[in-house]
Amino acid sequence: MQAIVQHNKRQLAAAASATADTASTTPSPAPLLVVGYVMKPSREEQLSTAGLLHLLPQDGLSFMPFDTTRLPEKQGHIDILLHKGSDELVTTADGGVVWSDRLLQLQDWLKTRFHICVVDPF
């Protein structure tokens, strides 16, 4: 958890620096943020039905399902990862609770992607 908090702090600092460096007097179009999301199907259906996971750009945001079973590099660019970590808890044979393998793989992948801000981290 601490690693993700540090990751997000670095990402916010980099974004603030980039904004300061590119300030100009001419207005530019609002940037489009692509939000990749990972969640269980029932949660995805509920949010989609409510119109909260729009795939077409709207108000500067576009949502994209992020499939943890596929190579992340093959899924396109994302700026933010919306992830419900509690969906990834697995009960072990001795009754303990651990993170799923796919979540651990996602954490490893994110360690080198400082530009991606993680919302609702692990």
Side-chain angles (χ1 to χ4, degrees):
M1 175 79 157
Q2 186 65 21
I4 298 302
V5 170
Q6 292 302 320
H7 170 84
N8 286 345
K9 285 182 181 178
R10 285 191 301 270
Q11 194 277 334
L12 290 173
S17 175
T19 300
D21 292 343
T22 59
S24 69
T25 58
T26 57
S28 60
L32 177 66
L33 291 176
V34 179
V35 180
Y37 62 88
V38 180
M39 59 187 70
K40 61 185 179 182
S42 61
R43 189 180 318 279
E44 180 179 4
E45 182 179 349
Q46 180 184 21
L47 293 173
S48 294
T49 301
L52 299 175
L53 293 178
H54 41 86
L55 299 177
L56 295 176
Q58 180 179 338
D59 299 324
L61 290 175
S62 180
F63 290 86
M64 177 181 81
F66 193 83
D67 183 355
T68 58
T69 63
R70 293 178 47 213
L71 288 174
E73 293 80 9
K74 305 257 183 193
Q75 297 188 60
H77 172 80
I78 62 171
D79 300 296
I80 299 170
L81 181 65
L82 176 61
H83 183 269
K84 189 64 181 168
S86 60
D87 289 349
E88 301 291 336
L89 293 173
V90 178
T91 304
T92 61
D94 63 358
V97 178
V98 297
W99 294 119
S100 70
D101 287 341
R102 78 180 195 164
L103 179 97
L104 296 174
Q105 292 169 351
L106 183 61
Q107 285 178 329
D108 285 343
W109 180 78
L110 285 167
K111 287 178 184 175
T112 59
R113 283 24 180 229
F114 298 113
H115 66 283
I116 299 174
C117 180
V118 180
V119 179
D120 201 0
F122 334 103

